Amino acid sequence: PASLAPVAEHPSPILLVGLQGSGKTTTAAKLALHLNKSGQRPLLVAADLQRPAAVEQLGTLAQQLDIPLCRPEEENDPVLVCQRAIKIASEQALQWLVIDTAGRLHTDQQQMDNLATLTSIVRPAEVLLVVDSMTGQDAIRSAVAFHSLVNLTGLILTKLDGDARAGATLSIARTTGIPIKFVGVGESLETLELFHPDRIASRILGMGDILTLIEKAQDTFHQ
């Protein structure tokens, strides 16, 4: 599986980007939980100032998971929120910032320019594109546009528990060369998994995924 690459000095920012409705906010919480469970201390950052409910949603999830959150105070600019978050993470010796950004269309030049500015200032260790697995081939054009602008380091594939078998997302990985790093396989916050190519191939072929089932059993039950 492709792993996350922290920067030399902490904290290491992870920027989650993508289209509206791809599941970025929930995925941010899932990723923070994944890092926390692996012994790394994350800070969630609510930098989506466009969707009215995004900050409150992330706040509720952070409280549920007992993970610290940096939310807007008087700032109306995501850059300022992220800069304050970096300071907080440094003071508290936190290792990762998981930054939830606003959903945007790749055809909206102003929104894409804003993302480019945010990326250049935050200088993230990872820029992960969150992609709905039920999205069609249009997702490829979107991914190419994001990648050309902010140099994506990985993909997170959501809603893989549905009927879709991720063909479009695998096409994105093939077309752009961007590795798939995580997959979301359910609605609960524990359902983010590292991407295993052989296991996803078994799912696409309808053969099931016995290794992931075994791992889930090991996490749940004593040997």
Side-chain angles (χ1 to χ4, degrees), residues 120-134:
S120 65
I121 294 174
V122 173
R123 293 187 296 173
E126 298 275 357
V127 184
L128 304 180
L129 179 68
V130 181
V131 182
D132 185 335
S133 65
M134 302 184 76

Side-chain angles (χ1 to χ4, degrees), residues 12 115 121 141 151 160 177:
S12 300
L115 177 60
I121 294 174
R141 287 190 289 272
N151 193 25
L160 199 60

Side-chain angles (χ1 to χ4, degrees), residues 2-5 12-19 22-25 27-28 30-32 34-35 96-102 115 119 124-131 143 146-147 150-158 178-183 192 194:
S3 60
L4 298 177
S12 300
I14 301 173
L15 210 60
L16 298 187
V17 303
L19 302 175
S22 59
K24 287 186 308 305
T25 301
T27 299
K30 290 182 177 183
L31 180 56
H34 171 83
L35 293 168
W96 293 97
L97 291 91
V98 181
I99 304 170
D100 179 31
T101 67
L115 177 60
T119 305
E126 298 275 357
V127 184
L128 304 180
L129 179 68
V130 181
V131 182
F146 274 98
H147 190 42
V150 295
N151 193 25
L152 300 172
T153 60
L155 304 174
I156 299 180
L157 174 59
T158 65
I178 306 166
I180 301 174
K181 296 200 171 186
F182 294 94
V183 292
L192 187 72
L194 286 171

Side-chain angles (χ1 to χ4, degrees), residues 27-28 53 56 73 94-95 113 116 118 162 166 201:
T27 299
E56 293 305 319
E73 292 182 348
L94 302 176
Q95 294 166 288
D113 289 344
L118 176 64

